[in-house]
Short mmCIF file of all heavy atoms in Angstrom, two decimals:
data_model
loop_
_atom_site.label_atom_id
_atom_site.label_comp_id
_atom_site.label_asym_id
_atom_site.label_seq_id
_atom_site.Cartn_x
_atom_site.Cartn_y
_atom_site.Cartn_z
N SER A 211 14.97 -3.47 -3.65
CA SER A 211 13.73 -2.77 -3.99
C SER A 211 12.51 -3.27 -3.36
O SER A 211 11.58 -2.62 -3.15
CB SER A 211 13.64 -2.89 -5.50
OG SER A 211 13.45 -4.24 -5.98
N ALA A 214 12.41 -1.65 0.03
CA ALA A 214 12.19 -0.23 -0.03
C ALA A 214 10.56 -0.14 -0.41
O ALA A 214 10.06 0.78 0.18
CB ALA A 214 13.02 0.38 -1.21
N ALA A 215 10.12 -0.92 -1.24
CA ALA A 215 8.65 -0.94 -1.58
C ALA A 215 7.87 -1.29 -0.26
O ALA A 215 6.81 -0.57 -0.09
CB ALA A 215 8.37 -1.89 -2.62
N LEU A 216 8.33 -2.17 0.55
CA LEU A 216 7.55 -2.50 1.82
C LEU A 216 7.52 -1.23 2.75
O LEU A 216 6.57 -0.97 3.38
CB LEU A 216 8.11 -3.70 2.43
CG LEU A 216 7.49 -4.17 3.69
CD1 LEU A 216 6.03 -4.54 3.56
CD2 LEU A 216 8.15 -5.43 4.27
N VAL A 217 8.73 -0.60 2.90
CA VAL A 217 8.78 0.58 3.61
C VAL A 217 7.91 1.68 3.10
O VAL A 217 7.14 2.29 3.92
CB VAL A 217 10.29 1.11 3.68
CG1 VAL A 217 10.31 2.53 4.36
CG2 VAL A 217 11.16 0.11 4.44
N ARG A 218 7.85 1.92 1.76
CA ARG A 218 6.96 2.87 1.24
C ARG A 218 5.46 2.44 1.48
O ARG A 218 4.56 3.28 1.83
CB ARG A 218 7.20 3.06 -0.31
CG ARG A 218 8.47 3.84 -0.60
CD ARG A 218 8.65 4.14 -2.09
NE ARG A 218 8.59 2.98 -2.97
CZ ARG A 218 9.57 2.23 -3.40
NH1 ARG A 218 10.76 2.54 -2.96
NH2 ARG A 218 9.37 1.20 -4.18
N TYR A 219 5.24 1.12 1.32
CA TYR A 219 3.78 0.59 1.62
C TYR A 219 3.44 0.87 3.10
O TYR A 219 2.34 1.33 3.33
CB TYR A 219 3.82 -0.85 1.33
CG TYR A 219 2.47 -1.41 1.44
CD1 TYR A 219 1.57 -1.35 0.35
CD2 TYR A 219 2.11 -2.19 2.60
CE1 TYR A 219 0.28 -1.95 0.45
CE2 TYR A 219 0.80 -2.74 2.67
CZ TYR A 219 -0.05 -2.62 1.58
OH TYR A 219 -1.35 -3.16 1.63
N ALA A 220 4.48 0.83 3.97
CA ALA A 220 4.10 1.03 5.48
C ALA A 220 3.78 2.59 5.61
O ALA A 220 2.88 2.84 6.32
CB ALA A 220 5.22 0.60 6.31
N LEU A 221 4.60 3.43 4.94
CA LEU A 221 4.35 4.79 5.03
C LEU A 221 2.88 5.19 4.44
O LEU A 221 2.19 5.98 5.05
CB LEU A 221 5.48 5.65 4.36
CG LEU A 221 6.77 5.58 4.88
CD1 LEU A 221 7.83 6.26 4.04
CD2 LEU A 221 6.81 6.22 6.30
N VAL A 222 2.65 4.58 3.38
CA VAL A 222 1.31 4.79 2.79
C VAL A 222 0.21 4.25 3.83
O VAL A 222 -0.89 4.84 3.98
CB VAL A 222 1.07 4.17 1.31
CG1 VAL A 222 -0.35 4.15 0.98
CG2 VAL A 222 2.01 4.89 0.35
N GLY A 223 0.56 3.18 4.42
CA GLY A 223 -0.39 2.56 5.36
C GLY A 223 -0.68 3.56 6.56
O GLY A 223 -1.76 3.51 7.13
N SER A 258 -5.66 4.85 -0.58
CA SER A 258 -4.61 3.83 -0.64
C SER A 258 -4.25 3.36 -2.09
O SER A 258 -3.08 3.31 -2.45
CB SER A 258 -5.00 2.60 0.16
OG SER A 258 -4.07 1.59 0.17
N PHE A 259 -5.25 3.29 -2.96
CA PHE A 259 -5.03 2.92 -4.21
C PHE A 259 -4.11 3.90 -4.94
O PHE A 259 -3.11 3.64 -5.51
CB PHE A 259 -6.34 2.80 -4.99
CG PHE A 259 -6.15 2.75 -6.55
CD1 PHE A 259 -5.72 1.50 -7.11
CD2 PHE A 259 -6.39 3.73 -7.36
CE1 PHE A 259 -5.52 1.39 -8.53
CE2 PHE A 259 -6.28 3.77 -8.68
CZ PHE A 259 -5.81 2.49 -9.32
N PHE A 260 -4.45 5.18 -4.90
CA PHE A 260 -3.70 6.19 -5.67
C PHE A 260 -2.39 6.35 -5.00
O PHE A 260 -1.29 6.49 -5.83
CB PHE A 260 -4.46 7.59 -5.62
CG PHE A 260 -5.61 7.52 -6.60
CD1 PHE A 260 -6.90 7.53 -6.00
CD2 PHE A 260 -5.42 7.58 -7.87
CE1 PHE A 260 -7.99 7.47 -6.96
CE2 PHE A 260 -6.49 7.59 -8.80
CZ PHE A 260 -7.76 7.54 -8.30
N LEU A 261 -2.22 6.41 -3.76
CA LEU A 261 -0.87 6.40 -3.10
C LEU A 261 0.07 5.22 -3.41
O LEU A 261 1.26 5.45 -3.70
CB LEU A 261 -1.01 6.71 -1.58
CG LEU A 261 -1.45 8.01 -1.11
CD1 LEU A 261 -1.64 7.99 0.30
CD2 LEU A 261 -0.66 9.16 -1.68
N ASN A 262 -0.53 4.04 -3.36
CA ASN A 262 0.28 2.88 -3.69
C ASN A 262 0.62 2.81 -5.05
O ASN A 262 1.74 2.45 -5.46
CB ASN A 262 -0.41 1.62 -3.24
CG ASN A 262 -0.34 1.37 -1.75
OD1 ASN A 262 0.84 1.34 -1.32
ND2 ASN A 262 -1.36 1.04 -1.05
N CYS A 263 -0.19 3.19 -6.05
CA CYS A 263 0.14 3.20 -7.46
C CYS A 263 1.30 4.11 -7.65
O CYS A 263 2.38 3.67 -8.22
CB CYS A 263 -0.92 3.71 -8.31
SG CYS A 263 -2.23 2.48 -8.70
N ARG A 264 1.25 5.28 -7.20
CA ARG A 264 2.33 6.30 -7.57
C ARG A 264 3.50 6.17 -6.65
O ARG A 264 4.63 6.14 -7.13
CB ARG A 264 1.77 7.74 -7.42
CG ARG A 264 0.72 8.18 -8.38
CD ARG A 264 1.39 8.16 -9.79
NE ARG A 264 0.49 8.79 -10.76
CZ ARG A 264 0.78 9.03 -12.00
NH1 ARG A 264 2.05 8.68 -12.44
NH2 ARG A 264 -0.04 9.50 -12.78
N PHE A 265 3.39 6.16 -5.34
CA PHE A 265 4.51 6.28 -4.41
C PHE A 265 5.19 4.95 -4.12
O PHE A 265 6.29 4.75 -4.14
CB PHE A 265 4.00 6.84 -3.06
CG PHE A 265 5.00 7.04 -2.03
CD1 PHE A 265 6.07 7.92 -2.14
CD2 PHE A 265 4.84 6.25 -0.83
CE1 PHE A 265 6.98 8.04 -1.24
CE2 PHE A 265 5.81 6.48 0.17
CZ PHE A 265 6.86 7.33 -0.05
N THR A 266 4.21 3.89 -3.91
CA THR A 266 4.79 2.58 -3.45
C THR A 266 5.42 1.79 -4.76
O THR A 266 6.51 1.31 -4.63
CB THR A 266 3.85 1.70 -2.82
OG1 THR A 266 3.40 2.42 -1.70
CG2 THR A 266 4.43 0.35 -2.32
N PHE A 267 4.62 1.66 -5.74
CA PHE A 267 4.99 0.82 -6.85
C PHE A 267 5.43 1.49 -8.15
O PHE A 267 5.87 0.89 -9.05
CB PHE A 267 3.87 -0.20 -7.12
CG PHE A 267 3.57 -1.10 -5.95
CD1 PHE A 267 2.34 -0.94 -5.31
CD2 PHE A 267 4.45 -2.03 -5.54
CE1 PHE A 267 2.03 -1.74 -4.10
CE2 PHE A 267 4.12 -2.79 -4.36
CZ PHE A 267 2.90 -2.66 -3.71
N GLY A 268 5.18 2.79 -8.15
CA GLY A 268 5.63 3.62 -9.24
C GLY A 268 4.89 3.25 -10.63
O GLY A 268 5.53 3.25 -11.66
N VAL A 269 3.64 3.02 -10.50
CA VAL A 269 2.79 2.60 -11.71
C VAL A 269 1.74 3.72 -11.92
O VAL A 269 1.37 4.32 -10.94
CB VAL A 269 2.25 1.21 -11.58
CG1 VAL A 269 3.34 0.13 -11.55
CG2 VAL A 269 1.28 1.15 -10.39
N PHE A 320 0.37 -6.22 1.74
CA PHE A 320 1.45 -5.72 0.79
C PHE A 320 1.69 -6.67 -0.37
O PHE A 320 1.71 -6.29 -1.53
CB PHE A 320 2.78 -5.61 1.56
CG PHE A 320 3.96 -5.26 0.67
CD1 PHE A 320 4.18 -4.13 0.06
CD2 PHE A 320 4.81 -6.40 0.48
CE1 PHE A 320 5.21 -3.85 -0.80
CE2 PHE A 320 5.91 -6.17 -0.44
CZ PHE A 320 6.19 -5.00 -1.00
N ALA A 323 -1.33 -6.44 -2.89
CA ALA A 323 -1.33 -5.21 -3.53
C ALA A 323 -0.18 -5.19 -4.55
O ALA A 323 -0.33 -4.70 -5.77
CB ALA A 323 -1.11 -3.94 -2.63
N ARG A 324 0.90 -5.67 -4.25
CA ARG A 324 2.06 -5.75 -5.20
C ARG A 324 1.71 -6.68 -6.35
O ARG A 324 1.97 -6.22 -7.55
CB ARG A 324 3.36 -6.36 -4.49
CG ARG A 324 4.52 -6.27 -5.47
CD ARG A 324 5.79 -6.57 -4.91
NE ARG A 324 5.73 -8.08 -4.53
CZ ARG A 324 6.85 -8.75 -4.07
NH1 ARG A 324 8.01 -8.17 -3.76
NH2 ARG A 324 6.67 -10.05 -3.80
N LEU A 327 -1.12 -4.43 -8.46
CA LEU A 327 -0.59 -3.10 -8.99
C LEU A 327 0.61 -3.26 -9.75
O LEU A 327 0.85 -2.53 -10.74
CB LEU A 327 -0.37 -2.15 -7.80
CG LEU A 327 -1.69 -1.81 -7.07
CD1 LEU A 327 -1.44 -0.79 -6.00
CD2 LEU A 327 -2.83 -1.24 -8.02
N ALA A 328 1.59 -4.10 -9.38
CA ALA A 328 2.85 -4.24 -10.16
C ALA A 328 2.92 -5.56 -10.90
O ALA A 328 3.92 -5.99 -11.22
CB ALA A 328 3.95 -4.08 -9.13
N PRO A 333 8.34 -3.24 -9.74
CA PRO A 333 8.16 -2.14 -10.85
C PRO A 333 9.49 -1.99 -11.56
O PRO A 333 10.56 -2.39 -11.11
CB PRO A 333 7.84 -0.95 -9.90
CG PRO A 333 8.37 -1.12 -8.66
CD PRO A 333 8.36 -2.55 -8.40
#
Side-chain angles (χ1 to χ4, degrees):
S211 67
L216 182 58
V217 169
R218 289 190 303 271
Y219 186 80
L221 292 173
V222 168
S258 177
F259 168 75
F260 287 105
L261 290 176
N262 277 312
C263 279
R264 291 295 192 175
F265 180 66
T266 304
F267 301 111
V269 297
F320 168 75
R324 183 174 72 175
L327 297 179

